Each structure stands twice: as C-alpha cells, then as structure tokens.
C-alpha cells in the first residue's frame, strides 16, 4: 500500500530556527547511523522512517560511511525515498557527511577537496537525490589546509549539490577558523553537529555552545542518549542480546562499569520523578533553554521514536533538578569522537 503521511504530522512537533538562518529543524531529528545497514530489514527501516515523519520529524541525517557496511544506510534510505517519500521531498531535510574512511587508497577519507566532492557524488547516487539539504565535513582533518576543506564545501553549494553546509565535531578554535573562511567565500556555515549528552559534556568545557551562539550558527547534538546508555536498556547491569553494548562497535564494554551504571540509575530516578523515561529526560536536557537546535536520535524500533518525541512534552527543568543531574552525571569520559575535536579520548 502506498504511503500517505498523516495530515496532522505538523501539529505537535516543535521547529527551531537554525542559528540566524532562514531554516528551521524539528527539535528531534532521526539519524540513520547503525540500524539501516545490510543486516537490517528494509521493512523495519520503513516503519521507523514512516513513524518519524508522521510525528513531524522532517530531518533525516546520514553519512557516507553509515551502515554497516559503509554506504548501505544511504542505499536503504534511497529505496525508501523512491517507494515512500518522493512526493514529500520538499518537506524533508536530508543531510549527509564525509570525513571517515570510505574506500581504499589515499583519496578515500579525511578532508581533501578530491575526497569530499567525490564522496558526495557517490552519496547522491546511492540515495537517488539531485541534492542534499545539508552537507557536513564529518571531522577536522589536521593534515589538510582548512581553506581546502572549506573551499570544497563552498564549491559543493555553488554547484547545487547541497543547499547548506556544516561541520561536525570541530572544537571552538577550529569552528571559528572554518566559519571565517566560509564567510569570506560567501557560503555561510549553517550548523555544527557535536556529540553531547548528560554524560558527555565536552562542548561545555570547550565553550562550543558559546561559540555557536556568538557566530549565529545552529547546533544538532548527536548521541544525546550516549549510544543507549541513557535509556533503560542497561539499568539492570545486563547487556541485552542484539543491543549496541553486545556488538563490537562504538559502545565499549568498559563504559558500562558499575559506577557508571549507578550514576545512570540515579538519573533514571530523577526522570521518574519528572514523569519521563530516562531517554526522554536525556533528550529534554540537551534541548533545555533552546541553545541546541535539534537532538539527533537513532532508533531500532518505531516505539523508540515515539518515546523520544514524548520528551517534547516537558523541556523545562528546575534549578534543583539541574543541580541533581550535575551531581550525578559529570562527564564520564565516553566521548569516542574526542580526537576529531583535538581532545583526549575516552579510556579503553
């Protein structure tokens, strides 16, 4: 049966302006990082994306290397665009990125002009799209002049391959440098995508949110649930079969220490007192005060999307609640993307 989006899909979603641009993003966006690869049934992905769109989530975030294996998430999304979402393309924000390893040889990763433009051309082909709405430099490249990386982003916009560009995991210093270059070229930086959660607070220590406020750039926080640590999945101390904690991936077994789990259980108690699930409170915390434009979630089931969107019913925190969260959830050294921000990475 052909998909018809719910007429009421825009009624309850919150849309926030991205920095000082004319674009708005939903307060919750859907990322297709780990559950849209070749081992994930297309029907499950279809159910997740349909549920998201019906709830007003108009932004779908990808990268060239999402899968696994790399490229397969974009291929799966391309199939869903063709079968379900083509009539709604102008109602959607589609983003992708390049920066991590994608193909063999010296031109298959990092931030060269050669790699970024070739990668986006491949991404567009996989997704069956003429353009993406946002294209990101996925990580800072310490060995390529920033002028070259940002010059490629400028060319990508001018060539019509993307409407906007952004950066991901750059620290404040590199962000200011990148934004200045793009401004001089005449292509503004729209948005920054950093990792950020109650237990991964590097953006606060770095001053990145202050930097983005000063520059008028939007932000979309990825991994606000800390790879599932800030859900009820691991509260018992057991690692469920098939979960991220059970797979060889970014969620390291060393992150699930008893001390960390005790802190997360305490956060769960606070969430319960607020009438929220832990995941809902974690998302609300990232979105508190309006400084973060959108929280980027992942999902393996439609029900998880529904639960996350429920966070929008209560984005307010009392001073007491914030103090309790700070006391129970300092930075737990779980930022696996720290090297991209030129910071010390998590202990293994």
């Amino acid at each position: 049966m052909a998909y018809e989006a719910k007429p009421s899909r825009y009624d309850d979603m919150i849309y926030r302006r991205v920095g000082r641009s004319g674009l708005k993003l939903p307060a919750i966006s859907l990322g297709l990082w780990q559950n849209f690869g070749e081992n994930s049934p297309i029907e499950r992905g279809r159910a997740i994306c349909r549920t998201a769109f019906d709830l007003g989530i108009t932004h779908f975030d990808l990268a060239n290397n999402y899968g696994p294996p790399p490229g397969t998430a974009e291929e799966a999304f391309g199939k869903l665009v063709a079968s379900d979402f083509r009539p709604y393309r102008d109602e959607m924000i589609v983003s992708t990125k390049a920066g991590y390893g994608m193909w063999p040889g010296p031109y298959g990763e990092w931030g060269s002009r050669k790699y970024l433009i070739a990668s986006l051309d491949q991404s567009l082909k996989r997704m069956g799209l003429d353009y993406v709405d946002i294209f990101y430099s996925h990580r800072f490249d310490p060995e390529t002049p920033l002028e070259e990386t940002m010059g490629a982003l400028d060319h990508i916009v001018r060539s019509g391959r993307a409407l906007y560009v952004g950066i991901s995991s750059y620290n404040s210093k590199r962000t200011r440098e990148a934004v200045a270059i793009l401004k001089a070229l005449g292509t503004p930086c729209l948005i920054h995508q950093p990792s950020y959660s109650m237990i991964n607070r590097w953006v606060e220590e770095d001053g990145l949110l202050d930097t983005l406020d000063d520059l008028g750039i939007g932000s979309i926080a990825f991994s606000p649930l800390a790879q599932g640590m800030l859900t009820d999945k691991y509260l018992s101390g057991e690692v469920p079969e098939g979960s991220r904690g059970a797979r060889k991936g970014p969620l390291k077994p060393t992150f699930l220490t008893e001390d960390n789990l005790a802190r997360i259980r305490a956060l769960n108690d606070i969430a319960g007192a607020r009438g929220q699930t832990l995941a809902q409170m974690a998302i609300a915390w990232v979105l508190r005060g309006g400084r973060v434009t959108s929280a980027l979630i992942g999902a393996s089931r439609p029900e998880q999307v529904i639960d996350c969107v429920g966070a929008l019913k209560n984005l307010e925190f009392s001073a007491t609640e914030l103090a309790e969260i700070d006391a129970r959830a300092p930075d737990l050294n779980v930022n696996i993307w720290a090297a991209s921000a030129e910071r010390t990475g998590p202990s293994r």
Side-chain angles (χ1 to χ4, degrees):
M1 181 180 295
Y3 169 62
E4 292 186 10
K6 286 187 177 180
S8 61
R9 60 190 176 277
Y10 296 117
D11 290 355
D12 297 321
M13 177 55 64
I14 297 170
Y15 297 91
R16 292 178 166 182
R17 189 167 301 279
V18 187
R20 290 196 284 265
S21 77
L23 186 69
K24 292 182 178 181
L25 288 182
I28 294 177
S29 300
L30 181 66
L32 280 65
W33 179 18
Q34 294 194 46
N35 296 303
F36 288 81
E38 65 179 14
N39 294 326
S40 300
I42 189 68
E43 288 306 318
R44 183 172 66 184
R46 174 175 285 112
I48 292 170
C49 290
R50 284 183 174 184
T51 297
F53 196 67
D54 283 344
L55 290 171
I57 294 178
T58 54
H59 180 209
F60 296 81
D61 180 80
L62 299 105
N64 59 354
N65 65 327
Y66 287 178
T72 54
E74 289 181 330
E75 290 174 357
F77 185 71
K79 293 177 182 177
L80 296 179
V81 169
S83 64
D84 290 64
F85 295 107
R86 184 71 68 185
Y88 304 102
R89 175 64 182 98
D90 290 337
E91 298 181 43
M92 300 171 69
I93 299 296
V94 179
S95 61
T96 195
K97 319 175 197 71
Y100 288 93
M102 192 59 194
W103 62 83
Y107 320 119
E109 67 176 321
W110 293 106
S112 72
R113 181 183 181 92
K114 166 74 171 175
Y115 168 63
L116 294 178
I117 294 174
S119 178
L120 180 52
D121 284 343
Q122 292 179 19
S123 292
L124 292 174
K125 184 176 181 179
R126 282 190 289 268
M127 293 187 286
L129 299 176
D130 297 325
Y131 69 94
V132 293
D133 298 278
I134 306 170
F135 181 70
Y136 290 90
S137 167
H138 206 168
R139 61 172 170 171
F140 172 71
D141 181 351
E143 296 186 356
T144 296
L146 201 52
E147 289 81 2
E148 179 177 343
T149 301
M150 295 303 110
L153 297 187
D154 172 69
H155 173 77
I156 281 167
V157 170
R158 293 181 186 278
S159 68
R161 291 173 172 91
L163 302 184
Y164 303 92
V165 291
I167 55 179
S168 179
S169 295
Y170 284 48
N171 64 25
S172 284
K173 178 178 182 294
R174 300 303 184 186
T175 295
R176 289 188 179 276
E177 293 171 353
V179 169
I181 294 168
L182 284 171
K183 183 177 181 180
L185 291 170
T187 297
C189 180
L190 173 80
I191 193 167
H192 191 303
Q193 186 174 134
S195 62
Y196 184 36
S197 73
M198 290 190 291
I199 58 176
N200 174 18
R201 301 186 177 211
W202 77 271
V203 300
E204 298 174 1
E205 299 169 5
D206 179 76
L208 181 61
L209 295 180
D210 293 332
T211 295
L212 299 180
D213 286 344
D214 182 47
L215 297 173
I217 296 171
S219 58
I220 177 167
F222 75 87
S223 200
L225 304 182
Q227 295 298 294
M229 291 178 67
L230 294 174
T231 69
D232 61 5
K233 192 170 295 183
Y234 305 105
L235 292 177
S236 69
E238 301 293 327
V239 177
E241 183 178 352
S243 68
R244 294 189 184 188
R247 300 190 297 236
K248 291 183 179 179
L251 180 54
K252 308 298 181 184
T254 52
F255 295 169
L256 299 172
T257 65
E258 183 52 41
D259 179 66
N260 285 355
L261 291 174
R263 293 181 180 277
I264 291 168
R265 292 184 191 107
L267 292 174
N268 187 58
D269 291 340
I270 298 172
R274 285 171 50 83
Q276 292 182 314
T277 65
L278 178 55
Q280 289 173 341
M281 185 179 78
I283 291 168
W285 183 88
V286 165
L287 293 171
R288 72 196 188 284
R291 299 188 76 188
V292 170
T293 311
S294 183
L296 182 59
I297 66 165
S300 58
R301 295 179 289 110
E303 293 79 10
Q304 293 172 339
V305 178
I306 295 169
D307 180 64
C308 288
V309 171
L312 302 182
K313 295 178 181 178
N314 183 11
L315 300 180
E316 301 298 322
F317 288 83
S318 69
T320 299
E321 287 174 328
L322 291 174
E324 290 178 350
I325 290 170
D326 287 346
R328 290 160 175 78
D331 190 290
L332 297 184
N333 197 30
V334 296
N335 180 13
I336 64 173
W337 305 273
S340 297
E342 300 174 283
R343 302 176 66 84
T344 302
S347 57
R348 296 294 192 262

